[in-house]
Structures are given as C-alpha cells and as structure tokens.
C-alpha cells in the first residue's frame, strides 16, 4: 500500500523539484514561479505544501499571504495558487489532502479568510471554498477608442522615481475599499521583479509635475486586455479615463477589455456607457475560523453602530445568536458598542441567525443588501452590522 505524506517543503532542492512540477503542469514556464517566490520578501518555505507518494513529490500547492483592508481593521488572507499534480498521480485526491492540511495551518496561524481563482468550482467546494459573485465590466476596444482623447493630463510610462508617489496614491484611493491588499514598499518592488505587469503596461497621469492617477493592465487570451488596477486622486477622475484611452489605443490588435472594479470607481461610468456588466463566479472564498473572525470584527461592528443611519429602528440592547456550522457566537449590540462572545447553552438571546458560509461571505464582502432572503427578523440588525460596502481584490494582486 502506498504511503502518502502531506507536509511543507524541506529544502531548496525540493523547491527546485516543485518548480519542475509547475513547469510540467502549467504553460507559464518555470521562471514565472521562481520569480514569484524568490522576489517575494515575505516568502517562507512553510507556505509551500506538497504531497509525497512513496518518496516522490507528486503534488504541490502554494499559499500566498496578504494583509487586506476591512474598514478600520486589517485581515490576514491566504491565497491558494499553483495547485498542481503530476499526471501519473492524479485521481488520488492528493490536492484535496493538501488543501485540508493548509486549512488547518491557516487556522493555527491566524488567517481570517482564504481566496482562490478557478474554473472547477465543485472541486474546491468539497474542501470548503465557496463561489463569490463579482461584477466584471467588459467593453469592445473600438467603443473605448471612440471616446474623446483630448486630455489636460500628461500620460507617460511609469518610472522608478514614481514609486513613492504611486504608493501614496494607492493608499489614498484604497483607504475605504474593503478587500484591497495592503502593499508595503517591498511588495511593490517584488511585483516589479516577478512582473505581475510588464513595465510597458504601467501608465501614469500627471499634472503640474504631480502624479494623480495610474493604470496597469495585462494581456490575456490572445487579443484581450485585462485591467490590473487603476487608482486616481479625488477630483482627477478624468485622468483615469485618459489612461484607459491611452492603454487601448496602444494595442489596436486587442478586441476587448475587461475590468473588475469597486463600486463607484472613476471608470465605472465609462464602462457603463460603452460596455456591459457580467457576473463571474471564478473567485472562491473560505472563512478560516468563523469564531475568531467575528471576534476580531467587533471593533469594526462598533464603528458601524456609531455611523449606522438605520439603527434608530432597532430595539437595543439586543443579543443575536449567530452560527456557521457547529460554531455559534453571541453578538451583543448596544447604542455605541458591539461585543462578540462565544455562545453558551445558558446564554439568553433575542434573535437567532443561522446562515451558510456563502451567505456570510456575501455579507463580509458586499453587505446585507446582497442576501437573497431578507425576510428574517434579524435583517434590520444585519443592515447595521453589514452595510453596503465597496470591495475589490485587484487583478494586479492575483496569484
């Protein structure tokens, strides 16, 4: 009977073997995976996981660690990528074995959420990830080309001396966006090295010597352009449109452009007028530890209570018993504070809310308004705890 062991990588020699596996399975080539890990200042061998079958490394998965914004808080996100099994070892459940072990690792090491991108949803649903419906804009390049190209902004390629300005601009534009990655300088430098975006695909807009907007894009599926990220300072929304026009005009061979944007982004009106909106479910999310996550969110809930416009309709104080699977917590709501505690059998409560993981994910990333069933008596309370928000995980951060 064969022996299967799931563990982290032990040495650089083993990592080289894993690069060969990824080179065999994926068309991107070995150097893509080498650059992604070797130029990531936060990389640790604890995040490269393998399944060893009778002494042979037969499957490998990479866990990428991010810090993302969640209102007044930062959450720890685990990105699942480079999922690969050698052809001779497939149909044995090796990848799912690794994913279950990674889930345990994330729970033990303070991760809050996990994200992956895939077209095989059922495979990952079996191990706890759930599809997330995100809005993606698409437009024909010829329609974008018809926009007025006149601009008051100077559009040019990014230069290394722009980095500090770009970092500050990104922070300003993403401060209120949920789910956006917190990017320290080392991360920006790493992205340049592992070339998440090619140098010529990074455009900036400036006026009077000040960088006020930037746009990055990728090429995908032959003649399609994909927006990587685009940020602008308040009052300079026109600069984002000028950047989009320039990017499309430089690639007349492309037939279309797609963009995953947060709500009310500077380019939304442009795509709304000249494109169409599609719902995609190739992103999948997982709540790593429901109890720990909700407990961590208590300060953010309190902030939302103070800002809540609809809380006058609530009967306070209130105690909500909320659950996911076999985990139950108590959310105690007062006029100016929210407390999250473990639920005990003897704990009294006013309202019980039992939602599945897919519903909790929609609450976290979009707010209560995205729930299909809003008939529950707890909905007025959810509307304050989970108001409508704007969230994005920029394409530039995909792994």
């Amino acid at each position: 009977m064969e022996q299967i062991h799931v563990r982290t990588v032990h040495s650089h020699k083993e990592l080289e073997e894993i690069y060969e596996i990824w080179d065999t399975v994926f068309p991107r080539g070995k150097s893509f995976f080498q650059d992604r890990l070797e130029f990531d200042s936060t990389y640790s061998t604890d995040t490269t996981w393998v399944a060893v079958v009778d002494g042979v490394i037969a499957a490998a998965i990479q866990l990428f660690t991010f810090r993302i914004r969640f209102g007044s808080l930062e959450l720890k996100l685990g990105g699942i990528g480079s999922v690969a099994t050698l052809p001779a070892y497939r149909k044995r459940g090796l990848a799912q074995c690794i994913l279950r072990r990674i889930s345990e690792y994330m729970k033990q090491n303070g991760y809050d959420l996990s994200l992956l991108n895939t077209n095989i949803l059922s495979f990952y649903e079996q191990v706890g990830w759930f599809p997330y419906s995100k809005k993606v804009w698409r437009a024909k390049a010829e329609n974008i080309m018809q926009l007025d190209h006149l601009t008051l902004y100077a559009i040019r390629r990014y230069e290394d001396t722009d980095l500090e300005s770009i970092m500050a601009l990104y922070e300003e534009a993403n401060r209120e966006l949920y789910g956006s990655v917190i990017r320290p300088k080392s991360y920006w430098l790493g992205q340049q090295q592992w070339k998440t975006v090619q140098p010529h695909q990074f455009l900036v807009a400036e006026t009077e010597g000040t960088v006020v907007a930037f746009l990055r894009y990728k090429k995908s599926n032959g003649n399609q352009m994909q927006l990587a990220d685009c940020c602008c300072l308040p009052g300079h929304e026109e600069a984002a449109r000028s950047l989009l026009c320039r990017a499309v005009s430089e690639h007349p061979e492309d037939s279309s452009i797609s963009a995953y944007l947060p709500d009310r982004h500077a380019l939304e009106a442009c795509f709304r007028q000249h494109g169409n909106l599609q719902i995609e479910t190739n992103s999948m999310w997982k709540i790593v530890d429901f109890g720990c996550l909700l407990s961590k969110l208590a300060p953010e809930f309190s902030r939302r209570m103070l800002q809540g416009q609809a809380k006058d309709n609530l009967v306070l104080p209130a105690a909500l018993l909320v659950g996911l699977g076999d985990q139950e917590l108590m959310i105690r709501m007062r006029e100016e504070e929210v407390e999250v505690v473990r639920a005990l059998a003897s704990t009294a409560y006013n309202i019980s809310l039992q939602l599945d993981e897919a519903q909790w994910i929609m609450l976290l990333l979009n707010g209560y308004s995205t729930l299909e069933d809003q008939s529950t008596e707890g909905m007025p309370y959810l509307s304050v705890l989970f108001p409508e928000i704007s969230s994005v995980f920029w394409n530039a951060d995909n792994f």
Side-chain angles (χ1 to χ4, degrees):
M1 184 175 179
E2 65 183 16
Q3 297 293 315
I4 300 174
H5 298 284
V6 174
R7 59 171 174 80
T8 57
V9 65
H10 282 172
S11 64
H12 185 74
K13 180 178 180 297
E14 285 192 345
L15 190 56
E16 286 292 332
E17 291 183 53
I18 295 165
Y19 289 146
E20 294 297 336
I21 292 176
W22 289 334
D23 185 51
T24 299
V25 174
F26 298 110
R28 284 176 161 176
K30 178 180 176 180
S31 63
F32 172 85
F33 301 98
Q34 284 180 307
D35 289 348
R36 181 60 183 85
L37 298 188
E38 293 178 7
F39 290 113
D40 186 344
S41 62
T42 65
Y43 172 70
S44 167
T45 54
D46 289 346
T47 60
T48 303
W49 288 78
V50 297
V52 182
V53 180
D54 291 338
V56 177
I57 297 178
I61 298 177
Q62 180 59 43
L63 171 66
F64 298 94
T65 302
F66 302 92
R67 294 282 178 177
I68 61 172
R69 294 173 178 81
F70 196 86
S72 58
L73 306 176
E74 294 181 10
L75 299 183
K76 190 175 182 180
L77 173 71
I80 303 296
S82 306
V83 180
T85 303
L86 288 173
Y89 292 89
R90 290 173 183 169
K91 306 296 183 182
R92 305 188 195 190
L94 298 180
Q96 290 190 341
C97 285
I98 299 175
L99 288 168
R100 291 189 180 94
R101 184 64 189 90
I102 288 178
S103 295
E104 295 173 5
Y105 171 86
M106 289 192 294
K107 189 171 183 177
Q108 295 163 1
N109 287 274
Y111 288 77
D112 301 298
L113 298 166
S114 181
L115 167 67
L116 59 84
N117 296 293
T118 183
N119 291 317
I120 48 174
L121 304 181
S122 60
F123 177 86
Y124 293 98
E125 284 181 315
Q126 295 174 45
V127 281
W129 278 263
F130 291 87
Y132 168 68
S133 299
K134 67 180 184 182
K135 297 181 289 186
V136 178
W137 292 98
R138 298 187 183 278
K140 292 182 179 179
E142 62 186 48
N143 292 343
I144 300 297
M145 289 288 289
Q146 293 173 4
L147 296 174
D148 185 1
H149 285 228
L150 295 178
T151 180
L152 300 176
Y153 298 91
I155 308 298
R156 59 174 175 79
R157 298 269 184 269
Y158 166 84
E159 299 173 357
D160 289 342
T161 54
D162 295 321
L163 181 56
E164 296 295 333
S165 296
I166 293 295
M167 288 174 57
L169 196 163
Y170 176 83
E171 290 301 313
E172 172 70 17
N174 285 268
R175 185 175 295 118
E176 302 298 325
L177 290 180
Y178 288 71
S180 61
V181 171
I182 297 168
R183 300 176 182 170
K185 187 173 184 178
S186 59
Y187 184 78
W188 281 99
L189 293 173
Q191 281 197 328
Q192 293 178 23
Q193 294 294 326
W194 67 67
K195 293 183 175 58
T196 184
V197 171
Q198 295 298 318
H200 66 279
Q201 297 169 342
F202 192 160
L203 301 176
V204 302
E206 63 180 359
T207 180
E208 298 180 353
T210 299
V211 175
V212 295
F214 74 85
L215 180 148
R216 296 192 289 176
Y217 62 92
K218 302 177 181 180
K219 303 295 288 293
S220 64
N221 299 327
N223 61 347
Q224 294 183 351
M225 181 181 292
Q226 195 176 61
L227 190 73
D229 52 5
C230 177
C231 300
C232 65
L233 294 177
H236 295 280
E237 290 75 15
E238 179 61 30
R241 172 172 151 154
S242 297
L243 287 167
L244 178 64
C245 291
R246 173 64 66 86
V248 172
S249 67
E250 290 184 352
H251 296 276
E253 74 280 6
D254 289 342
S255 61
S256 65
I257 180 169
S258 64
Y260 172 39
L261 301 171
D263 292 337
R264 298 174 291 280
H265 187 271
L267 292 178
E268 185 177 288
C270 178
F271 278 98
R272 188 181 300 277
Q273 181 179 359
H274 299 284
N276 59 81
L277 186 63
Q278 299 180 3
I279 303 299
E280 294 187 358
T281 55
N282 58 350
S283 292
M284 303 187 74
W285 289 78
K286 178 188 182 79
I287 297 174
V288 176
D289 187 320
F290 178 71
C292 288
L293 174 60
L294 253 64
S295 296
K296 183 179 289 188
L297 295 184
E300 174 64 13
F301 290 152
S302 295
R303 185 179 76 93
R304 292 174 175 183
M305 275 293 294
L306 289 172
Q307 297 178 345
Q309 300 299 314
K311 70 177 182 179
D312 292 340
N313 299 323
L314 305 184
V315 177
L316 297 174
L320 280 64
L321 179 68
V322 300
L324 175 59
D326 59 357
Q327 296 187 74
E328 288 189 328
L329 289 98
M330 190 68 62
I331 301 179
R332 294 174 177 155
M333 301 176 64
R334 303 181 182 90
E335 284 288 346
E336 297 183 352
E337 183 184 19
V338 176
E339 181 185 19
V340 179
V341 298
R342 297 284 180 179
L344 302 175
S346 59
T347 305
Y349 58 88
N350 306 105
I351 297 169
S352 176
L353 293 170
Q354 294 293 324
L355 304 176
D356 61 33
E357 188 156 352
Q359 291 173 311
W360 279 112
I361 289 169
M362 292 302 292
L363 278 175
L364 289 165
L365 299 179
N366 293 104
Y368 82 100
S369 61
T370 55
L371 292 182
E372 293 184 1
D373 181 10
Q374 297 192 9
S375 60
T376 173
E377 61 176 335
M379 192 55 63
Y381 297 90
L382 289 182
S383 69
V384 173
L385 294 176
F386 298 95
E388 184 177 348
I389 59 173
S390 184
S391 66
V392 69
F393 187 88
W394 289 107
N395 194 306
D397 298 307
N398 278 349
F399 36 88

